[in-house]
């Protein structure tokens, strides 16, 4: 599917514009069916965007927020994406949103993935908004090059849900929604910042295997148009 690059003069300008676009999309979903959903990524990039989005005046009590992926750590661990969302997005007006975590206290990450699939099934499909990030290796979500379940994660026929991923660059074992869960969001956003990430994107947009730069699966095969938001 096509992608559109939205370039901004600064991260602050990007955060304001993306927050407006996401708020409008969530409000339209609420008007249409009374509820809305958004799956967001962790990492360092989205913090300012989360903070601005949390102030937007929408019916947050009708919004369900979840994560695109999570590290297999509890919410009180500094590596937790839940902690990042709690501190930066579930604040201000967005405090009244419902949050569905991916991490589940389980003896094994596979059991946590099963529970997360069960609990997230009630969110409804497709997501209204998905915000993806991208690592310097071309990973997105927890679709890491060399990942233990990468082929399954990227296979469009894999049922929607949360699966596990282990990879050298991932740190802890990961919990990640599958490509099939993310690729048809009403608003599918890739949010990246910095010249380095722009170079990584240019390489990903070139030829090469999806497994080498898994963001290519989204850029090449997502059903929804990919809205790329970039600032220096
Ligand atoms: O759990 C995570 O780390 C994210 O979901 C991951 O996919 C992130 O989006 C990229 O690693 C980019 O991270 P930065 O924004 O820190 O570069």
């Amino acid at each position: 599917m096509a992608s559109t690059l939205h370039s901004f003069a600064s991260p602050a300008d990007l955060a304001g514009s993306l927050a407006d676009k996401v708020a409008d999309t969530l409000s339209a979903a609420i008007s249409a069916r009374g509820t809305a959903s958004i799956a967001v990524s962790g990492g360092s990039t989205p913090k300012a965007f989360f903070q601005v989005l949390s102030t937007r005046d929408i019916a947050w009590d009708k919004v369900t927020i979840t994560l695109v992926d999570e590290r297999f750590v509890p919410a009180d661990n500094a590596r937790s994406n839940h902690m990042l969302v709690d501190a930066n997005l579930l604040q201000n007006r967005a405090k009244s949103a419902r949050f569905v975590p991916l991490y589940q206290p389980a003896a094994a990450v596979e059991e946590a993935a099963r529970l997360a699939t069960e609990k997230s099934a009630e969110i409804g499909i497709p997501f209204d908004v998905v915000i993806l990030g991208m690592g310097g290796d071309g990973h997105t979500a927890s679709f890491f090059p060399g990942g233990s379940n990468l082929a399954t994660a990227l296979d469009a026929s894999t049922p929607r849900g949360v699966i596990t991923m282990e990879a050298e660059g991932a740190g802890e074992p990961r919990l990640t929604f599958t490509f099939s869960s993310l690729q048809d969001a009403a608003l599918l956003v890739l949010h990246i910042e910095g010249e380095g990430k722009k170079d990584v994107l240019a390489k990903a947009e070139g030829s090469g295997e999806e497994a080498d730069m898994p963001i290519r699966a989204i850029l090449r095969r997502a059903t929804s148009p990919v809205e790329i938001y970039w600032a220096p």
Side-chain angles (χ1 to χ4, degrees):
M1 178 47 83
S3 60
T4 304
L5 178 64
H6 307 268
S7 296
F8 296 87
S10 69
D13 288 353
L14 183 155
S17 180
L18 183 53
D20 289 344
K21 180 66 179 170
V22 167
D24 290 349
T25 305
L26 294 174
S27 293
I30 292 166
S31 300
R33 50 172 221 275
T35 61
S37 61
I38 175 171
V40 296
S41 289
S44 56
T45 302
K47 200 170 174 180
F49 157 62
F50 287 166
Q51 291 168 356
V52 174
L53 180 60
S54 75
T55 66
R56 288 298 187 264
D57 186 7
I58 66 171
W60 284 105
D61 61 325
K62 307 270 191 311
V63 177
T64 298
I65 300 172
T66 191
L67 289 162
V68 161
D69 67 336
E70 179 60 284
R71 296 82 185 270
F72 185 49
V73 295
D76 61 0
N77 182 304
R79 289 272 299 161
S80 162
N81 287 338
H82 182 171
M83 179 185 278
L84 176 79
V85 168
D86 221 23
N88 295 284
L89 179 51
L90 293 170
Q91 298 291 325
N92 307 310
R93 290 192 165 107
K95 236 182 174 38
S96 59
R98 179 170 72 110
F99 180 74
V100 175
L102 295 194
Y103 173 80
Q104 302 294 331
V109 64
E110 288 75 15
E111 174 60 8
R114 190 190 65 74
L115 291 169
T117 297
E118 209 172 82
K119 291 182 187 301
S120 58
E122 68 195 47
I123 296 175
I125 52 177
F127 286 118
D128 293 298
V129 179
V130 163
I131 308 288
L132 296 173
M134 182 184 71
D137 59 359
H139 84 261
T140 191
S142 284
F143 309 156
F144 286 87
S148 53
N149 280 326
L150 183 61
T152 301
L154 298 185
D155 184 342
S157 65
T158 297
R160 293 171 193 261
V162 177
I163 63 172
T164 66
M165 190 70 68
E166 297 195 41
E168 207 170 307
E172 310 76 1
R174 298 288 189 105
L175 295 158
T176 185
F177 273 106
T178 58
F179 169 86
S180 58
S181 307
L182 302 170
Q183 58 90 33
D184 59 352
L187 174 63
L188 180 58
V189 173
L190 173 60
H191 175 196
I192 55 175
E193 293 182 4
E195 294 301 337
K197 291 284 181 74
K198 199 171 185 186
D199 295 343
V200 174
L201 175 66
K203 186 178 174 198
E205 288 174 329
S207 61
E209 298 298 318
E210 287 183 6
D212 295 337
M213 297 187 83
I215 187 65
R216 286 176 173 153
I218 293 287
L219 295 170
R220 296 177 181 172
R221 293 190 282 122
T223 307
S224 299
V226 184
E227 305 298 340
I228 303 171
Y229 278 66
W230 176 82

